[in-house]
Amino acid sequence: MSDGAGSGPPSPPVFGPEEKVCGNCKLWAAHSVDHRGWVGVCRLQPERGLFPPSAPLCNKFLPRGMAAKAAEETARRERSARSVAPVVRRRERDPNEVVDLEGLELNMTRAELMELIREAVGEGGEAPPLANKWEGGSIKLVPGKSDVQGRDIPIDTFFHKIVMVRDKLRVMEQKLNAHPKLSDAEKVEMQSYITRIYGSLTSFNILFRDKEDHFVGSKSED
């Protein structure tokens, strides 16, 4: 939205590479301008809503350009170890190519997009830590019938399942928000169901060591 007749929105702020702010993270995407200036969303944590790029970064921080540099180094190593045998190759794609996702202006390279997907589904990303007091513990399932044997489940195994559910919900949110054929009203309605799921899972927040990894449900209910 423009500030006046004939004038466009202000340019997004530029931060030094050493500044620890969301504006230096490739997961932060500009959305619009309000009274705070430019605001955007976190692609991995959309439940945070809109916030300025000057916000302090979290433990999900991924520096801009990191994935592209890693892809270049991998390609360099592959060329140096090339086999003399005939090799059938697929058409190579430039990892620095900017990806157009159904017209969404994400300004991401192909390598950055692939790393974002791997991070979202929990492949190669750092798993959130289990609270120290639960390490080495177990969950005991006691049946109501005396002739049925109970079962002990290691807490870290159970915790891994909870984290996987959380990560899949985040992927679902990303797909929902980027869907080109859903109206804004439909997205809001479907997002409300996901928020209720988060709310139902807040009971498991006690397992997480860090508060920023918690499930966050609706704050307006009750």
Side-chain angles (χ1 to χ4, degrees), residues 89-190:
R89 296 185 181 274
R90 296 183 300 172
R91 184 170 68 92
E92 295 185 359
R93 306 300 293 265
D94 182 2
N96 296 319
E97 174 187 354
V98 176
V99 182
D100 180 13
L101 298 179
E102 299 289 343
L104 296 176
E105 297 179 358
L106 296 182
N107 193 28
M108 297 183 69
T109 65
R110 185 174 298 279
E112 289 173 333
L113 175 61
M114 291 305 298
E115 182 167 336
L116 176 61
I117 293 174
R118 286 193 293 271
E119 172 74 16
V121 299
E123 296 179 6
E126 183 178 355
L130 177 69
N132 295 335
K133 63 182 178 180
W134 302 117
E135 291 182 355
S138 63
I139 297 175
K140 182 179 292 292
L141 300 180
V142 180
K145 297 181 178 180
S146 59
D147 58 338
V148 178
Q149 186 176 1
R151 181 182 178 186
D152 289 346
I153 301 176
I155 285 186
D156 56 350
T157 300
F158 181 76
F159 181 66
H160 175 70
K161 299 295 185 182
I162 296 298
V163 172
M164 290 298 293
V165 170
R166 187 199 65 175
D167 292 343
K168 297 304 181 184
L169 282 172
R170 288 178 174 177
V171 174
M172 184 185 300
E173 283 187 299
Q174 294 298 319
K175 291 182 177 292
L176 171 63
N177 292 331
H179 200 291
K181 295 184 179 181
L182 292 175
S183 67
D184 289 344
E186 290 171 326
K187 290 180 180 180
V188 169
E189 180 182 3
M190 296 176 71

Side-chain angles (χ1 to χ4, degrees), residues 19 21-22 64-65 74 80-81 102 104 111 152 174 208 211 215:
E19 294 187 70
V21 293
C22 287
R64 295 184 183 277
T74 300
S80 64
E102 299 289 343
L104 296 176
D152 289 346
Q174 294 298 319
F208 292 89
K211 189 173 181 179
F215 292 100

Side-chain angles (χ1 to χ4, degrees), residues 78 82-92:
E78 289 178 350
R82 184 177 299 165
S83 172
V84 295
V87 178
V88 178
R89 296 185 181 274
R90 296 183 300 172
R91 184 170 68 92
E92 295 185 359

